[in-house]
Amino acid sequence: SATTTTSGPAVTSPDGVCADLDPVANMSSATAFTGHAGIDFRDAVLGGRALSASDGFPDVGVDPVATAAVGRISGWDIANVFFEYDHVTDRALFGVDCGSSRIATLPGSTGSGICGDADGGGDPGATAQWLADNGGSDQPDYLGREAFFVLFDTDNDASTPAVGNGYEVAVGMPPGGGLADFGTYAWPASGQPGSRAHRFLSASAPENCCTSLLHTYSATSRLHASSTLGPNAEAPDLEFSIQGFSQLPGFAFTAGETFSFRVLIGHGGGTGDPGISDDTMSASFCVRGFRTTTTSTSTTSATTVTSTTSSSATTTSATTSTSTSTSSSTSSTSTSVTTSSTTTTSSTTTSATTTTTVSTSTSSSTASSTTTSTTTSATTTTTTGMSLTRAPGTCAVIQPAQAALLFTGRAEDDFRQAVELETAASLSDAYPDVAVFDQSGIRTDVSGWDIAAVYFTYDASHDVGYFGIDCGNPAAFGRPGSGICGDADGDGDPGRSADWLLAASGVDVANYESESFVMLLDTTNDAQLSPSDASRYNVAVGMKLAGGIGSFGTYAWPANARVSSASAFLKTKVPCCGSVVHAYRSDVHASTTLGPNAVEPDLEFAVGNFSLLPGFSFTPGESFAFYVQVLHGGTQDVAIGEEALSGEICVQGYLTTTTSATTTT
């Protein structure tokens, strides 16, 4: 007997959510870099040797007015991050996929998908004319203000990603250094992990530790003369390795033991490319160790064999076989029984087969046999997940989508095709009912708090929920108003206060700074019975009180919360399921730089790992339902009402359970 114990700490991450990698004890060959991260790491991911973290949808766009190219995706956009660890050589491999393959599958989207190609024009070192006219540039080889960095939290204490002192080391390049200075750098306690975090990369990591090597991009097949060191059209992705990975500052494991860590990745041009945003992405990785402690106990016992001989017969007895012979006759009987059972779980299929064969022969006679075979089979198929028959019977039933949705800031346009295909739901508030009253009590414009429709679609392939909040078109009802979400007074600028509002001691603030958008989700489906009962909700998506749109995220919903002042209770983010708001243009209204504007008037956002939201109990592909209540308004806009809209959404699953039985007689 033997007892085996795996050494190293338990495989848990500080936020409770961690992709779990089970390394192969004998990794004969690590992933080879070609500059196509998705292709290079595919087999390792499928084989369980590598992990991937997805950003779900493209969220870094290029100024559509300046480029006249709606849907252009910047080369700063990160689609996926891959991680593989070779414990034999203590070498970590990373791949950053900038979406070259994903862009081609998204209707209406354009862009090169080349990492570092800021304007998405196809050459990471050539500046588009519109960008030059705006005083910006697209630098080769990440020179100038361009940046790529990965911050490592190796001791899992960065509970708040925005606090820089939770990280121990960084991989990337210092300001102005470009790819030529790519390496491993110490991360100072004073470092800040914002879009310009690479300015803190000045001191290299300890000597003889943790060398970071960038993939060598081929100069002989160079497509762009301006870029000689980095990604290009033939090799569009960033790939690099870290030798001596277990020696990174903060780690306390030996190669082969269990360990976990968190990363924060930054990618962008900072202020060097006006009209183009930067991208950030975080992920947690866990590696299950294989080093073991084995305790063995061995016991040997004796066996006695007895042999007896007589004049008429000889008999020998052993452990598993008996043979008997006599001088007068010989007979032999053989019976064979074979039973096979197979259980397969994908859609969940169970099959059973039993075969029995009996043969008998005797030397003194001849026997004839007749075999009759009867086979009966039955198959039962059922869709897994909860029933979509809701008690009130008002659920909007949709089919799951199988692709990401591209946001443009115009919810009705973005979700229209999905609604027509019945892969998106629409909860409508048909008539504008949040009006603006001036100081004389006269009803004037329709407020930007008014919600015309709430849209939802679910990408089961990536487990992402997409939401769109359409703040309407008052003109269609013969009413004045901008239809811009957050434009409290409806004057067309969501960060400017109308004179009458100022005279009444009210304000229309920019970027939702003292305003509120909160979407409450009831993932256990009991809030519809009492929508005002706060205890029936499980999670909230939106902005915390006075946090503005910069605080947008997925928040825990505490037991003592109240629906009437929901934003005041949004304090602790749920780590499993990040919410990302659409990246809005920053040049339409000087007062508003983060939120909806005249060009992109609607609120749109996505929630990752949607099935992991607290209260849900479905697997992507199964049926599920949830209830939402959307709250939209401000506390400093005198004489302007607020909006609330609610409804239930059901997603019809496609995963099935099939049971087959076959009987043969």
Side-chain angles (χ1 to χ4, degrees):
S1 62
T3 301
T4 302
T5 305
T6 301
S7 60
V11 183
T12 57
S13 79
D15 54 15
V17 179
C18 202
D20 186 4
L21 173 65
D22 191 0
V24 180
N26 181 19
M27 183 182 287
S28 58
S29 60
T31 291
F33 292 154
T34 68
H36 281 273
I39 297 174
D40 296 345
F41 285 86
R42 179 177 55 202
D43 290 343
V45 170
L46 294 176
R49 305 194 318 271
L51 296 171
S52 65
S54 175
D55 193 12
F57 62 99
D59 54 3
V60 182
V62 172
D63 188 329
V65 174
T67 62
V70 176
R72 173 68 61 86
I73 306 301
S74 170
W76 299 133
D77 188 75
I78 299 174
N80 299 284
V81 175
F82 299 95
F83 164 68
E84 179 179 334
Y85 177 60
D86 181 356
H87 60 265
V88 177
T89 60
D90 193 20
R91 180 169 170 255
L93 310 175
F94 289 88
V96 178
D97 170 18
C98 289
S100 57
S101 59
R102 179 175 68 176
I103 292 173
T105 66
L106 297 175
S109 295
T110 61
S112 66
I114 301 173
C115 293
D117 182 16
D119 53 24
D123 186 336
T127 303
Q129 188 59 51
W130 70 266
L131 183 56
D133 292 342
N134 287 341
S137 62
D138 190 356
Q139 295 284 337
D141 301 327
Y142 286 79
L143 291 170
R145 297 176 180 176
E146 297 187 349
F148 170 78
F149 60 85
V150 182
L151 303 185
F152 287 85
D153 172 25
T154 52
D155 59 3
N156 294 304
D157 65 347
S159 57
T160 303
V163 178
N165 58 14
Y167 301 93
E168 285 70 43
V169 68
V171 171
M173 46 267 191
L179 291 176
D181 288 335
F182 188 92
T184 310
Y185 292 85
W187 180 253
S190 60
Q192 296 297 321
S195 61
R196 308 301 295 160
H198 69 310
R199 66 184 183 275
F200 296 99
L201 276 56
S202 56
S204 297
E207 190 175 358
N208 300 322
C209 159
C210 333
T211 303
S212 296
L213 298 175
L214 189 70
H215 168 55
T216 303
Y217 295 87
S218 175
T220 58
S221 61
R222 177 64 50 197
L223 298 183
H224 313 297
S226 58
S227 297
T228 59
L229 299 176
N232 53 67
E234 284 187 348
D237 299 326
L238 276 167
E239 295 181 309
F240 61 95
S241 63
I242 304 177
Q243 188 66 50
F245 190 65
S246 67
Q247 300 175 46
L248 283 176
F251 273 144
F253 75 95
T254 300
E257 292 183 343
T258 297
F259 68 95
S260 63
F261 64 99
R262 176 184 290 152
V263 295
L264 178 66
I265 302 171
H267 196 211
T271 59
D273 49 11
I276 306 175
S277 302
D278 298 341
D279 203 4
T280 59
M281 182 177 175
S282 61
S284 293
F285 296 116
C286 294
V287 178
R288 182 182 304 150
F290 65 90
R291 286 188 180 275
T292 58
T293 301
T294 303
T295 303
S296 301
T297 302
S298 178
T299 303
T300 303
S301 60
T303 302
T304 302
V305 179
T306 302
S307 176
T308 302
T309 305
S310 68
S311 61
S312 60
T314 301
T315 301
T316 302
S317 63
T319 304
T320 58
S321 64
T322 301
S323 176
T324 304
S325 64
T326 66
S327 60
S328 60
S329 64
T330 302
S331 65
S332 174
T333 300
S334 173
T335 300
S336 173
V337 179
T338 303
T339 301
S340 64
S341 177
T342 303
T343 300
T344 304
T345 301
S346 55
S347 297
T348 309
T349 301
T350 304
S351 63
T353 303
T354 302
T355 303
T356 302
T357 303
V358 178
S359 64
T360 303
S361 63
T362 305
S363 62
S364 61
S365 63
T366 302
S368 63
S369 64
T370 302
T371 300
T372 301
S373 176
T374 302
T375 301
T376 304
S377 62
T379 300
T380 303
T381 301
T382 57
T383 300
T384 58
M386 68 178 66
S387 169
L388 292 183
T389 303
R390 314 304 308 153
T394 58
C395 193
V397 180
I398 63 172
Q399 301 295 321
Q402 296 296 317
L405 184 78
L406 180 64
F407 291 150
T408 68
R410 293 184 174 273
E412 183 179 10
D413 294 340
D414 296 344
F415 285 83
R416 177 181 292 113
Q417 184 178 14
V419 170
E420 292 173 352
L421 295 174
E422 297 184 350
T423 59
S426 172
L427 305 177
S428 177
D429 186 5
Y431 191 79
D433 54 3
V434 182
V436 173
F437 294 86
D438 65 18
Q439 68 267 36
S440 61
I442 298 176
R443 183 169 179 162
T444 58
D445 296 1
V446 175
S447 172
W449 300 134
D450 188 78
I451 297 176
V454 174
Y455 297 96
F456 171 77
T457 186
Y458 176 63
D459 178 2
S461 305
H462 301 94
D463 195 19
V464 177
Y466 295 88
F467 291 88
I469 310 298
D470 176 12
C471 289
N473 179 17
F477 295 89
R479 301 276 301 283
S482 66
I484 300 173
C485 293
D487 182 16
D489 53 21
D491 69 348
D493 187 336
R496 179 183 62 198
S497 301
D499 292 341
W500 70 264
L501 183 58
L502 292 172
S505 300
V507 291
D508 185 0
V509 298
N511 303 319
Y512 283 82
E513 288 172 3
S514 64
E515 300 168 343
S516 174
F517 170 83
V518 177
M519 182 179 68
L520 302 180
L521 289 95
D522 165 30
T523 52
T524 55
N525 291 292
D526 60 355
Q528 190 164 13
L529 302 175
S530 181
S532 62
D533 184 354
S535 66
R536 295 178 182 269
Y537 298 96
N538 311 93
V539 68
V541 176
M543 318 156 195
K544 60 185 180 181
L545 184 64
I549 201 168
S551 67
F552 196 95
T554 310
Y555 289 86
W557 185 246
N560 65 338
R562 296 191 304 274
V563 172
S564 60
S565 54
S567 62
F569 298 94
L570 274 55
K571 298 180 180 179
T572 305
K573 286 189 176 181
V574 177
C576 69
C577 323
S579 295
V580 181
V581 74
H582 169 57
Y584 293 90
R585 292 181 54 180
S586 60
D587 60 343
V588 179
H589 309 298
S591 59
T592 301
T593 57
L594 298 176
N597 52 64
V599 177
E600 304 161 304
D602 299 327
L603 268 172
E604 294 183 308
F605 56 93
V607 182
N609 293 327
F610 194 69
S611 66
L612 300 180
L613 283 174
F616 273 145
S617 58
F618 75 93
T619 298
E622 294 181 343
S623 299
F624 67 96
F626 63 100
Y627 185 82
V628 297
Q629 182 166 184
V630 181
L631 308 167
H632 199 207
T635 59
Q636 300 183 32
D637 47 10
V638 181
I640 303 176
E642 298 181 345
E643 177 75 297
L645 182 63
S646 60
E648 189 179 29
I649 298 171
C650 295
V651 178
Q652 175 68 57
Y654 60 87
L655 287 183
T656 59
T657 300
T658 302
T659 304
S660 299
T662 302
T663 303
T664 303
T665 304

